[in-house]
Amino acid sequence: MDWFGESWGAVVCRPESHVGTPVGEPCRACGVPIEAGDRGVVLLVRDRGGVAERPLHVDCLLDLVVPEPKV
């Protein structure tokens, strides 16, 4: 998994997997375009029968892994 932006101290933030910020690409989770200064990961996902790279904000990734509790 590649990552972009400034490191947030996670194991994924290895120097060899750092890539440029995909400015303008929509986040796979929230749909908001990635902006300069955002942090996140680039995932390989199935897209129309093939494989494509899609960015995800780090906060959106965390929401997928650790969702907010329902009250």
Side-chain angles (χ1 to χ4, degrees):
M1 176 184 330
D2 292 333
W3 63 281
F4 59 87
E6 289 188 34
S7 173
W8 56 95
V11 174
V12 71
C13 296
R14 298 181 319 270
E16 62 272 14
S17 60
H18 188 250
V19 296
T21 303
V23 175
E25 292 289 321
C27 173
R28 176 83 170 140
C30 71
V32 174
I34 304 294
E35 296 181 3
D38 284 351
R39 302 180 303 169
V41 296
V42 179
L43 302 176
L44 289 176
V45 298
R46 287 191 173 193
D47 190 19
R48 298 182 185 168
V51 177
E53 292 183 337
R54 297 288 183 250
L56 193 67
H57 295 109
V58 71
D59 292 336
C60 293
L61 175 65
L62 292 174
D63 285 344
L64 292 173
V65 177
V66 185
E68 290 186 34
K70 295 179 181 178
V71 281

